[in-house]
Amino acid sequence: CLISPVLSSGERAGGSSRQGDVEYTLDTYYQVPDLDVVYTTNMRPALRVLNEWARERDSDFGLFIQTMPCSGLFYPRRISMVGISRGHRVLLFDLKPYLRPWPQPVPDFLEDFLEHENHTFYGMGLMNTAARLAFEFDCVIRCVDYHIRAWPRMELGGGLYGIANRHLRIPIHRPETLRALSSQLVHAHLQWAVFDYFSRVQGAPDLPAWLITKAELFGAGPVYLRVAGAKHDWSS
C-alpha cells in the first residue's frame, strides 16, 4: 500500500520514513489487497480524497476511529484518528495535532463530509463510534452497525476479523501482531469490505430500517461526556 503524503517529521508507522512518499507493505500473512492509503495531519490531502469521493457521488463508506493511548485512567479516551474507506482507498486523518489548540478538533470539511445527509457509514461497533462523535465533537452521522442490525446471514462470532475470515476469506488470525498503522488501516478497510461483500452477495442494505436511531445513539452517549473536552450533552 502507498501512504502519502509523507508522515510528519519523526513519525514511523509500519515501516521506515523518508522525505517524499513512503511505501509500506502489509505482512503477506494477512493477504490484504493493496490499499491506496492517505495518512495525514494535513487538511489539503484529506480534502482532496473527500472531494474525489464527492465527485464520484459515492454515498456508502466504512468508518473507523482510533482513541488516544491509555493513560492508566478509566474514563473514555479522546478520539485521535478518523478512518474512512471505500474500495481500496483509505483515508486516515490524524486529529492529535488539533486536540489541544482547537475548541472543535474536527475540521469543518471533515465534519461536513461525516454529517452529509446522503452519506451512510458502515462497520462493526459503529453505534459507540457515532455516540463518541456526537457527544465529543457535536457530529451526528448516519450509520449501520453490523452488530446491531445488518444482513441476517452475517455470522458475527469473532467480530470484524471473524467476518473477514469466514465470509471474505481474508485470514486475519492475529491482528495484534500488526504494527500500529497497519492494524488501523486494515480495520478501516475491512469495515468497507464487509459492506461491499454482503451488498453484492445478499443484496442492498435495508435502509432506513437498519440505521442507528437517535434514541440508540443518545442512549449510548452520556458515558462519553466524561471525555476531556466533550461539551455536547445530547441526552437532554
Side-chain angles (χ1 to χ4, degrees):
C1 58
L2 182 65
I3 298 181
S4 63
V6 66
L7 303 180
S8 58
S9 177
E11 265 189 295
R12 306 168 75 87
S16 60
S17 64
R18 55 180 171 79
Q19 293 300 318
D21 289 337
V22 186
E23 186 171 327
Y24 297 85
T25 302
L26 293 176
D27 297 346
T28 55
Y29 175 79
Y30 297 94
Q31 299 182 19
V32 175
D34 289 338
L35 301 177
D36 177 13
V37 181
V38 174
Y39 169 52
T40 185
T41 62
N42 191 310
M43 298 183 192
R44 187 169 298 175
L47 184 57
R48 183 175 65 248
V49 173
L50 299 184
N51 283 340
E52 288 175 3
W53 278 329
R55 284 194 297 271
E56 295 167 3
R57 297 187 178 182
D58 295 327
S59 59
D60 300 310
F61 304 91
L63 182 64
F64 164 77
I65 63 167
Q66 179 75 24
T67 57
M68 295 288 285
C70 182
S71 62
L73 301 176
F74 292 99
Y75 54 77
R77 295 159 285 163
R78 298 208 73 180
I79 297 173
S80 60
M81 179 184 292
V82 174
I84 303 173
S85 59
R86 182 177 172 86
H88 285 180
R89 169 158 281 189
V90 179
L91 169 64
L92 298 177
F93 191 76
D94 191 343
L95 295 174
K96 288 191 292 293
Y98 305 93
L99 291 179
R100 289 187 178 179
W102 288 20
Q104 171 61 305
V106 176
D108 289 343
F109 76 89
L110 181 57
E111 183 177 14
D112 290 344
F113 186 88
L114 291 170
E115 290 195 318
H116 195 289
E117 61 182 3
N118 293 330
H119 293 170
T120 305
F121 298 91
Y122 297 82
M124 181 70 75
L126 280 204
M127 185 169 74
N128 286 331
T129 293
R132 279 182 173 274
L133 289 169
F135 280 73
E136 187 174 343
F137 294 148
D138 193 19
C139 180
V140 180
I141 65 172
R142 286 168 43 100
C143 67
V144 171
D145 186 333
Y146 301 142
H147 188 69
I148 305 298
R149 286 181 294 277
W151 290 270
R153 292 194 294 276
M154 180 185 290
E155 299 178 42
L156 298 176
L160 186 64
Y161 294 98
I163 294 173
N165 284 331
R166 283 188 299 275
H167 298 290
L168 278 66
R169 300 295 188 264
I170 300 177
I172 303 179
H173 301 297
R174 298 175 61 195
E176 69 276 4
T177 64
L178 280 171
R179 293 172 178 174
L181 181 59
S182 297
S183 176
Q184 293 157 11
L185 69 89
V186 167
H187 197 107
H189 169 68
L190 289 180
Q191 299 280 54
W192 156 261
V194 169
F195 160 81
D196 183 55
Y197 171 84
F198 279 92
S199 293
R200 289 184 287 105
V201 174
Q202 296 190 19
D206 183 12
L207 299 181
W210 291 357
L211 291 174
I212 295 299
T213 67
K214 287 189 175 180
E216 291 170 328
L217 177 67
F218 300 146
V223 64
Y224 300 116
L225 287 173
R226 292 185 288 157
V227 174
K231 300 177 181 178
H232 307 288
D233 186 356
W234 288 90
S235 59
S236 60

